[in-house]
């Protein structure tokens, strides 16, 4: 058994490194067959679309039967396991009244049969079956082993079952799906262009072959060319995107000046090594050092070093740019790690998607892509972009999937989806100047959530009436150092000026927890309950004071600044912030600056504060409910942990009760209150929020038109009746079903995200 358990743990490790669902299920049956030492291992997955169990992978049956053998729940032995949720271990399956043979599968009438249900979070995922010769049941030890295997695989298979595995479909037959990490949402179709993957070719120049001065001059020439490229790209971004993304280029420029990187390469070249060898050696060493760091932001710096190393090699062997004019009009850029500099070489409107074989959702590329509205998939470890150069590919950033060699029917389905989305967005443009008011006259203010300057524009375009949440940590996160007061003034000023005359709620630095800073590592046993938000800010008073000064200075003459305090958990924290704010105002006035005292609000994210609303009324001017963290802390469910993600639900009955208590308390205390968590983008939740009486919602700018359409379609008094019904329910999913029915009646049928099926 120990040997088999070791095999099982290496299988789990192998699976974790594979991206593609079809490969994962195939590997599972292969390994189960080996571990259990049987001729046949089959995996059936529950498929809602097919209304039953479908053979998803087999070892021992004909491969063509995958996706074709289907069983209803209760049908055959496999269906029976699914209906009873019990193991079935039989010495002679052929004699069982439920036995069915599928001749097309090439199945031998093996007598020994054992099947176990795959269950994840109490839901049936599928059935795992082994079959073999002989006429005795599988032993108790073998049964225990198969049950253990099933328990370990159920979570992975549940993800595949819900989102990933598509069975062969005649219309879309030969496509390949590569699963990665969601980098930036949206879907796009275009011609694949490989970026920087081809290995530069060098002459056979050996170390010491050429004159040392010539060697060094060659290297310096490459560095100059790279510096020029960074400058041009940076300027292009200045025009297209604005200063905060452009400042990412300063990371590269800083690296080009650093003694650890370029300095170390120079030492090796002067010591006699050929330039390309020196570049490779140092960039590999340095990036390996970064990649070993526990902090994901430091790991991402390893990507930057590798990218710069590749660019230097590119210029060392002669350089040269991609001839954009010879490419199609709609492009998908694919490479190991596409950098901001790469993106800047192409006109924005021609880039329909980005595919990176490495990287994560925290990579700069992902941040930039979402600010620019370009779909992106990261960490596509199984994709070999060069194989698909010049071919049409599909980027599905909503699900972190890339599809290569799609049939024409599938491309058409995706293009139709894009057209539908565009049509829908265009049809909603007419609402821009119209108020978000219900049929019975309940008026709601729709504000935008932003963080990068690049997503300020979509808010304005979509009629946002202000910024309800400016996540100030984002400009801190895309830099390599704490920004200075002057740098912060420039960034904040740009946001405040863009929204002149409209309120802008700037949140004080909210780092820690799941938002680490690249240059300030915080290691904690339990970061969700640790040094985060205002706790960090108050302990680092100078950082906080600089930020307050920058915000106040940026608002001079505009006077639309409101300050928002994150992760408040006690009364004294607000008292201290209030005192500090007053001191900063005095300080700036003493310096001759005419600053105004801004409204001060708190994020309601920690449950303790729900009970303290009446006591806060004299200290704060408004409240903004951060439903992401409030749900996390109220339900004790980590918002980033996929194992418990199904338990994270804003519509949990306890959340509904808390949201009712918050609005009632705020009304009593005459405190304006808004919602700024993801809940405000969820149409189902919006129905509840309207009924409860929330009249300020702050959400992702792209969702504003659709939510406005919804608000204008409903009658609040009817929703209040629905709310009372929802309040009587015991489960979040029951609340969701009730509200989805209402959405359907209202005619809410926005196109689905996927056109794959
Ligand atoms: C929230 O917690 O709901 C919120 C808006 O803040 P963030 O998602 O940035 O933690
Ligand atoms: Mg939060």
């Amino acid at each position: 058994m120990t040997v088999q358990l070791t095999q099982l743990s290496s299988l789990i490790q192998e699976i974790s490194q594979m991206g593609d669902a079809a490969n994962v299920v195939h590997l599972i049956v292969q390994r189960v067959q080996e571990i259990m030492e049987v001729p046949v291992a089959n995996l059936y997955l529950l498929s809602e679309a097919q209304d039953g169990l479908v053979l998803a992978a087999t070892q021992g049956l004909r491969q063509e039967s995958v996706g074709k053998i289907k069983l209803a729940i209760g049908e055959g032995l496999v269906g029976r396991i699914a209906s009873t949720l019990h193991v079935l271990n039989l010495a002679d399956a052929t004699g069982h009244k439920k036995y069915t043979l599928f001749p097309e599968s090439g199945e031998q009438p093996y007598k020994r049969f054992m099947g176990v249900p795959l269950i994840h979070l109490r839901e049936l995922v599928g059935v795992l079956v082994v079959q073999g010769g002989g006429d005795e049941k599988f032993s108790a030890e073998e049964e225990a082993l198969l049950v253990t295997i099933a328990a370990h695989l159920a979570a992975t298979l549940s993800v595949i079952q819900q989102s990933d595995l598509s069975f062969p479909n005649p219309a879309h037959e030969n496509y390949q799906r590569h699963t990665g990490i969601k980098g930036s949402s949206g879907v796009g179709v275009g011609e694949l262009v490989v970026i920087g993957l081809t290995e530069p070719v060098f002459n056979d120049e050996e170390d010491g072959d050429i004159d040392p001065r010539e060697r060094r001059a060659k290297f310096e020439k490459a560095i100059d060319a790279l510096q020029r490229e960074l400058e041009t790209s940076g300027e292009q971004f200045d025009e297209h995107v604005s200063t905060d993304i452009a400042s990412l280029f300063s990371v590269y420029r800083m690296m080009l000046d650093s003694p650890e990187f370029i300095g170390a390469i120079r030492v090796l070249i002067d010591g006699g090594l050929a330039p390309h060898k020196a570049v490779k050696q140092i960039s590999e060493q340095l990036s390996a050092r970064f990649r070993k760091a526990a902090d994901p932001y430091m790991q991402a710096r390893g990507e930057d070093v590798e990218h710069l190393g590749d660019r230097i090699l590119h210029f060392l062997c002669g350089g040269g740019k991609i001839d954009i004019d010879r490419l199609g009009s709609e492009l998908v850029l694919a490479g190991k790690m596409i950098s901001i500099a790469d993106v800047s070489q192409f006109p924005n409107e021609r880039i329909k998607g980005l595919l990176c074989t490495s990287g994560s959702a925290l990579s700069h590329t992902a941040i930039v892509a979402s600010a620019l509205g370009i779909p992106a998939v990261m960490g596509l470890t199984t994709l070999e972009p060069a194989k698909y150069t010049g071919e049409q590919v599909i980027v599905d950033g909503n699900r972190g999937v890339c599809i290569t060699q799609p049939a024409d029917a599938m491309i058409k389905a995706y293009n139709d989806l894009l057209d539908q989305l565009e049509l829908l967005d265009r049809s909603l443009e007419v609402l821009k100047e119209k108020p978000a008011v219900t049929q019975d006259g309940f008026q709601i203010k729709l504000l935008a959530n932003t963080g990068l300057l690049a997503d300020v524009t979509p808010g304005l375009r979509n009629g946002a009436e202000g910024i309800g949440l400016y996540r100030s940590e984002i400009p801190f996160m895309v830099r390599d150092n704490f920004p200075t007061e002057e740098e912060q003034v420039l960034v904040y000023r740009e946001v405040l000026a863009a929204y002149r005359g409209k309120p802008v709620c700037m949140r004080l630095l909210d780092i820690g927890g799941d938002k680490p800073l690249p240059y300030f590592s915080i290691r904690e046993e339990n970061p969700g309950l640790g040094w985060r938000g205002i706790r960090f800010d108050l302990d680092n008073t100078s950082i906080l004071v600089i930020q307050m000064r920058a915000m106040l200075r940026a608002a001079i003459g505009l006077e639309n600044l409101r300050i928002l305090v994150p992760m408040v958990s006690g009364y004294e924290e607000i008292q201290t912030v209030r005192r500090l704010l007053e001191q900063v105002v005095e300080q700036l006035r003493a310096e001759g600056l005419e600053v105004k005292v801004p409204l001060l609000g708190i994020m309601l994210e920690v449950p303790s504060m729900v009970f303290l609303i009446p006591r806060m009324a004299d200290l704060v001017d408004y409240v903004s409910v951060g439903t992401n963290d409030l749900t996390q802390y109220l339900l004790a469910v980590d918002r980033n942990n996929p194992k418990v993600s199904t338990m994270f639900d804003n519509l949990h009955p306890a959340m509904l009760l808390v949201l009712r208590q918050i609005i009632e308390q705020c009304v009593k205390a005459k405190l304006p209150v808004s919602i700024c968590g993801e809940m405000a983008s969820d149409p189902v939740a919006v129905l509840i929020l309207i009924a409860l009486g929330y009249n300020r919602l702050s959400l992702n700018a792209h969702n504003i038109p659709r939510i406005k359409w919804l608000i204008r379609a409903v009658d609040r008094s009817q929703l209040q009746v629905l709310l009372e019904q929802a309040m009587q329910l015991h489960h979040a999913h029951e609340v969701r079903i009730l509200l989805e029915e209402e959405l359907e009646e209202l005619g809410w049928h926005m196109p689905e995200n996927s056109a794959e099926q």
Side-chain angles (χ1 to χ4, degrees), residues 5 58 129 133 166 186 191 217 342 375 387 414 429 445 462 487 522 532 564 648 668 678 718 733:
L5 288 178
T58 179
V129 171
S166 55
E191 174 189 327
D342 295 324
K387 270 171 71 178
Y414 266 93
E429 268 169 26
K445 249 191 194 323
N462 288 325
E487 282 170 329
I522 303 172
R532 48 171 314 191
L564 192 50
F648 187 98
K668 235 191 242 168
E678 294 313 303
Q718 279 173 18
H733 69 264

Side-chain angles (χ1 to χ4, degrees), residues 453-680:
L453 288 174
D455 55 15
V456 165
T457 334
L460 288 171
R461 204 175 46 233
N462 288 325
E465 294 171 78
I467 293 181
L469 172 63
Y470 174 77
R471 290 180 162 106
S472 75
E473 59 278 5
I474 296 184
F476 278 68
M477 283 157 79
V478 297
R479 283 177 165 78
D480 264 21
N481 259 314
F482 279 106
T484 62
E485 184 175 323
E486 298 311 316
E487 282 170 329
Q488 290 184 52
V489 171
L490 289 180
V491 175
Y492 303 152
R493 179 90 189 164
E494 233 180 289
V495 180
L496 292 164
Y499 278 78
R500 186 183 288 270
K502 297 182 172 122
V504 175
C505 301
M506 290 201 158
R507 180 167 76 183
L508 298 172
L509 194 60
D510 184 21
I511 58 151
D514 57 338
K515 288 183 269 192
L517 279 184
Y519 40 86
F520 199 101
S521 161
I522 303 172
R523 288 187 209 288
E524 290 173 303
E525 280 287 308
N526 202 343
L529 303 180
W531 209 32
R532 48 171 314 191
I534 196 60
R535 301 170 184 181
F536 173 91
D537 298 343
L538 287 172
D539 289 350
N540 291 280
T541 322
S542 63
I543 296 173
L544 178 59
V545 166
I546 288 175
Q547 189 176 38
M548 283 179 173
R549 284 177 58 93
M551 286 181 178
L552 291 170
R553 283 178 55 200
I556 294 174
L558 294 165
E559 321 311 348
N560 53 347
L561 168 71
R562 292 167 185 200
I563 288 182
L564 192 50
V565 190
M567 290 297 302
V568 175
S569 56
Y571 190 77
E572 60 292 343
E573 286 167 339
I574 326 168
Q575 277 179 313
T576 318
V577 172
R578 173 65 80 192
R579 204 179 50 243
L580 268 176
L581 184 62
E582 281 160 9
Q583 283 169 9
V584 170
V585 170
E586 264 174 45
Q587 212 180 66
L588 288 169
R589 285 183 182 158
E591 289 169 28
L593 296 169
E594 286 194 17
V595 291
K596 299 257 165 24
V597 182
L599 295 182
L600 183 69
I602 66 152
M603 293 282 293
L604 218 160
E605 298 170 293
V606 182
S608 58
M609 297 316 285
V610 176
F611 304 97
L612 298 182
I613 294 171
R615 299 187 203 175
M616 287 184 312
D618 54 340
L619 264 188
V620 301
D621 304 300
Y622 67 100
V623 167
S624 189
V625 189
T627 50
N628 307 338
D629 277 317
L630 184 59
T631 311
Q632 151 162 287
Y633 292 121
L634 189 70
L635 305 183
V637 177
D638 179 350
R639 62 196 257 196
N640 296 309
N641 181 345
K643 284 209 185 80
V644 289
S645 61
T646 52
M647 294 170 75
F648 187 98
D649 200 324
N650 301 137
L651 297 177
H652 189 284
M655 265 303 278
L656 302 190
L657 288 166
V658 161
L659 286 166
R660 171 173 270 178
Q661 183 165 343
I662 293 171
I663 186 100
E664 283 175 0
Q665 296 291 327
C666 285
V667 169
K668 235 191 242 168
K670 298 198 172 55
L671 270 178
V673 57
S674 60
I675 300 276
C676 67
E678 294 313 303
M679 216 178 161

Side-chain angles (χ1 to χ4, degrees), residues 37-55:
E37 296 174 347
V38 285
V40 179
N42 294 332
L43 171 66
Y44 293 84
L45 289 180
L46 187 65
S47 160
E48 256 179 51
Q50 316 249 8
D51 205 16
L53 294 147
V54 182
L55 181 69

